[in-house]
Amino acid sequence: MEQLLEFIGNHPLLVVAAIGTGAMLLFYEFRMAGQGRFAVSPDQAVRLINKGALVLDLRSPEDYAEGHLSGARNLQVSELQSQLGSLKKYRNKPVITYDQRDSGTTRAVSLLRGAEFEQVFSLRGGVTAWREEHLPLERGGKGKSK
């Protein structure tokens, strides 16, 4: 113990760097674990969709028209706050959000959970993972929310 205190006294910058690195690592790990709680695989998403889940496609209208999950509504994350009123009837039902690779859904999930939606999930891997599982996509549509 005495040697540890001597080391800390002789190398304060090294000790601060080690503590800072450890704190950043813990923050990253807890953040990733928290996001994983609200993510579902394509198979789990299919089960939720069959139970009447609302599906929100957060991609551009052009990407939506090229192929989207069956029954998905196209809605930009920036429009989500203003559309919460029209989505209220889904507060007690599962809601699945997705984009191309599941990179931008965290904000949407947080916003919906903050608005008291009980079961909000993101599609792990986005539409890319959906395609990799060879699951069907609907084509067409104007990309407007229904």
Side-chain angles (χ1 to χ4, degrees):
M1 182 69 166
E2 194 173 305
Q3 289 178 336
L4 178 62
L5 293 175
E6 183 180 342
F7 179 83
I8 291 171
N10 291 334
H11 305 286
L13 292 178
L14 185 60
V15 172
V16 168
I19 291 171
T21 302
M24 289 188 307
L25 180 64
L26 286 174
F27 172 77
Y28 176 78
E29 289 297 324
F30 283 121
R31 183 172 167 237
M32 293 308 290
Q35 289 176 350
R37 274 190 324 198
F38 305 123
V40 293
S41 69
D43 291 338
Q44 292 168 319
V46 168
R47 285 189 217 110
L48 291 171
I49 291 168
N50 289 339
K51 292 180 181 179
L54 169 66
V55 182
L56 298 177
D57 185 320
L58 305 175
R59 300 175 303 151
S60 70
E62 296 80 22
D63 289 338
Y64 177 86
E66 288 178 15
H68 55 273
L69 277 64
S70 179
R73 293 183 183 191
N74 185 229
L75 193 63
Q76 305 303 298
V77 175
S78 59
E79 301 170 344
L80 193 55
Q81 182 73 39
S82 64
Q83 296 293 321
L84 286 175
S86 66
L87 300 174
K88 279 185 181 180
K89 62 184 175 185
Y90 296 100
R91 276 193 173 154
N92 298 323
K93 293 186 177 186
V95 178
I96 302 169
T97 63
Y98 73 93
D99 60 9
Q100 195 63 36
R101 293 191 170 272
D102 188 31
S103 56
T105 58
T106 304
R107 184 172 165 222
V109 169
S110 296
L111 183 65
L112 289 166
R113 287 198 172 268
E116 299 178 4
F117 282 76
E118 294 177 3
Q119 303 175 56
V120 184
F121 307 97
S122 68
L123 177 61
R124 188 179 302 117
V127 76
T128 302
W130 189 267
R131 283 187 177 117
E132 288 172 358
E133 294 290 326
H134 305 290
L135 294 167
L137 292 171
E138 288 184 356
R139 302 216 184 274
K142 297 179 183 173
K144 297 290 181 188
S145 59
K146 296 179 183 176

